[in-house]
Amino acid sequence: MDFPSKLIENAVEELAKLPGIGRKTALRLVLHLLKEESEESFLLAEALVKMRAEVKHCRECHNISDTEVCSICTNPLRDRSLLCVVSDIRDVIAIENTGQYKGLYHVLGGVISPLEGVGPSDLHIDSLLERLPNSEVKEILLAISPTMEGDTTAFYLTRKLRDNKVRITSIARGVPVGGELEYTDEITLGRSIVERTVYGKV
Amino acid sequence: MDFPSKLIENAVEELAKLPGIGRKTALRLVLHLLKEESEESFLLAEALVKMRAEVKHCRECHNISDTEVCSICTNPLRDRSLLCVVSDIRDVIAIENTGQYKGLYHVLGGVISPLEGVGPSDLHIDSLLERLPNSEVKEILLAISPTMEGDTTAFYLTRKLRDNKVRITSIARGVPVGGELEYTDEITLGRSIVERTVYGKV
């Protein structure tokens, strides 16, 4: 694709580096910005630069934060006996949005994946083991996606954590709310039968 | 959706203003930028700001350009007797990419659309009529999308242009190359029969 302007081409190239955005979509975005007030482009650019330059990772849980220690870790209303281990910042946002969890978090920053060259030392596992002895944590909830890598990570963590006197739990696996039995895969449906709960307990 | 950081939230809000990008996609882009080197974010922001601040519209044809008059209008190799009228900058890029057109352009900046409050005076029609008398243009090729608004605009233009001694042509309508006859809509197929061409002429 040839562009009539080097400036446009440059902006398209930079936008097309983002995941899921090709050159055609990038051009559409650039032409949209050209039609809007120039302030729109400046606000967008400023927000991106400021975000990238100033965002911190919480010293305690490695969640993204505007401060040294994040608003969840410093919140006196959170339950300090419960610690939820997730792989990614997105998982924290997803769990927070349920409104069902009032404990603390620990973000690993990924999952163990030998294929992609990610080992335990690349994740925030050491800092998890370090923060436990001096904490009030009584239960660790592993909320890691049930993929091959996720399960490997969870298995590794349970091995590492068993010396600490904490209860280790996992989020429930089963048929999704609103899901149809006949379209659920056999493994999920099988586990939902093995790990059946007493009616009315939830 | 709650975000753990105001900076993230701000960046997501700004990105989500772009067409076709919702808050979930915006968050994915922001987290991608956070994972990449911070230089990536700065380059993107710089490209956007520079593009918006410095891009000009060609004085002659209203195409986007880095200079007062665009590289197509100043190119001595282009055929100055042929002028292609399009509604949008994207159409110029699409036609340039075919490599089949060597004339000049005139970008209207939209189509006449009473429903959206776009009248002839909102488009670059006056400047088209002004540039014709002092030019070498002998043929005007209307390359406007065959929608209701596009056809209205083309009809308006042919009325306005008939006093100038120029030949007015339109891009051919017909069955797309590689298209199946049975899946072509009746109007297109009908027009392709009425406006049939001599075999081997193209």
Side-chain angles (χ1 to χ4, degrees):
Chain A
M1 197 163 11
D2 275 348
F3 296 102
S5 153
K6 273 274 158 212
L7 296 165
I8 298 279
E9 188 171 345
N10 196 18
V12 167
E13 297 294 344
E14 287 297 329
L15 274 173
K17 282 185 195 166
L18 296 175
I21 295 190
R23 284 161 62 90
K24 281 218 169 174
T25 308
L27 178 62
R28 198 158 54 88
L29 299 181
V30 164
L31 293 179
H32 169 84
L33 286 175
L34 270 181
K35 267 192 190 163
E36 297 289 306
E37 294 294 316
S38 59
E39 206 192 340
E40 290 294 316
S41 305
F42 300 153
L43 284 177
L44 170 59
E46 196 193 357
L48 292 179
V49 166
K50 216 168 164 201
M51 179 273 294
R52 191 62 187 79
E54 293 180 21
V55 142
K56 296 179 185 70
H57 285 86
C58 171
R59 186 156 41 92
E60 293 282 318
C61 71
H62 308 287
N63 189 11
I64 38 177
S65 166
D66 293 345
T67 46
E68 280 289 305
V69 179
C70 78
S71 56
I72 294 176
C73 286
T74 51
N75 187 344
L77 297 176
R78 308 286 302 206
D79 181 356
R80 271 152 212 289
S81 68
L82 192 52
L83 185 74
C84 179
V85 176
V86 294
S87 69
D88 200 272
I89 294 155
R90 256 171 293 188
D91 302 328
V92 175
I93 297 174
I95 293 174
E96 281 300 289
N97 284 332
T98 67
Q100 295 290 321
Y101 182 74
K102 292 293 164 212
L104 302 178
Y105 290 96
H106 190 88
V107 181
L108 295 176
V111 283
I112 296 171
S113 170
L115 277 177
E116 289 176 30
V118 181
S121 58
D122 298 315
L123 306 177
H124 297 302
I125 293 178
D126 286 345
S127 66
L128 171 62
L129 298 173
E130 277 162 28
R131 73 185 278 202
L132 280 184
N134 306 317
S135 72
E136 305 157 36
V137 174
K138 291 201 179 66
E139 177 177 342
I140 291 181
L141 169 58
L142 299 180
I144 299 173
S145 297
T147 57
M148 179 120 93
E149 290 85 3
D151 283 343
T152 308
T153 312
F155 182 71
Y156 181 88
L157 283 175
T158 50
R159 284 284 199 104
K160 280 279 181 186
L161 289 168
R162 68 182 165 187
D163 296 337
N164 292 278
K165 288 201 168 49
V166 288
R167 192 176 159 217
I168 301 175
T169 54
S170 160
I171 49 169
R173 314 287 185 207
V175 180
V177 178
E180 300 256 16
L181 283 201
E182 62 173 317
Y183 298 126
T184 308
D185 67 288
E186 293 89 348
I187 297 174
T188 303
L189 193 53
R191 272 181 89 157
S192 79
I193 292 167
V194 172
E195 298 173 11
R196 62 194 178 274
T197 55
V198 179
Y199 207 80
K201 197 182 150 194
V202 177
Chain B
M1 199 164 11
D2 274 348
F3 297 102
S5 153
K6 273 274 158 214
L7 296 163
I8 298 279
E9 188 171 346
N10 196 17
V12 166
E13 297 294 344
E14 287 297 330
L15 274 173
K17 282 185 195 165
L18 296 174
I21 295 190
R23 284 162 62 91
K24 281 217 169 177
T25 309
L27 178 62
R28 199 158 54 90
L29 299 181
V30 165
L31 293 180
H32 169 85
L33 286 174
L34 268 182
K35 267 193 189 163
E36 297 288 307
E37 293 294 315
S38 58
E39 207 193 340
E40 290 295 316
S41 304
F42 299 153
L43 284 176
L44 169 60
E46 196 193 358
L48 292 180
V49 165
K50 218 170 163 199
M51 179 274 293
R52 191 60 187 80
E54 293 181 21
V55 142
K56 296 178 184 70
H57 285 86
C58 170
R59 184 155 43 91
E60 293 283 317
C61 71
H62 308 287
N63 189 11
I64 37 176
S65 166
D66 293 345
T67 46
E68 279 290 305
V69 180
C70 78
S71 56
I72 295 175
C73 286
T74 51
N75 187 344
L77 297 175
R78 307 288 301 207
D79 180 356
R80 270 151 213 291
S81 67
L82 191 54
L83 185 73
C84 178
V85 176
V86 294
S87 69
D88 200 90
I89 294 156
R90 256 171 293 189
D91 302 328
V92 175
I93 297 175
I95 294 174
E96 281 299 289
N97 284 331
T98 67
Q100 296 288 323
Y101 182 74
K102 292 294 164 212
L104 303 178
Y105 289 95
H106 191 89
V107 181
L108 294 176
V111 282
I112 296 170
S113 170
L115 277 177
E116 289 175 30
V118 181
S121 58
D122 299 316
L123 307 176
H124 298 301
I125 291 177
D126 287 343
S127 66
L128 171 63
L129 297 173
E130 276 162 29
R131 72 185 278 201
L132 280 184
N134 305 318
S135 73
E136 305 157 36
V137 174
K138 291 201 180 67
E139 177 176 342
I140 291 181
L141 170 58
L142 299 180
I144 298 172
S145 298
T147 57
M148 180 119 93
E149 289 85 1
D151 284 341
T152 308
T153 312
F155 181 72
Y156 182 87
L157 282 174
T158 50
R159 283 284 198 104
K160 280 279 180 184
L161 289 168
R162 68 181 164 188
D163 295 337
N164 293 278
K165 288 204 168 47
V166 289
R167 192 175 159 219
I168 301 174
T169 55
S170 159
I171 49 169
R173 313 287 184 208
V175 181
V177 179
E180 301 256 15
L181 285 201
E182 63 173 317
Y183 299 126
T184 309
D185 68 288
E186 293 89 347
I187 297 173
T188 303
L189 193 54
R191 272 181 89 158
S192 79
I193 292 168
V194 173
E195 298 173 12
R196 62 194 178 274
T197 56
V198 179
Y199 206 81
K201 198 183 149 195
V202 178

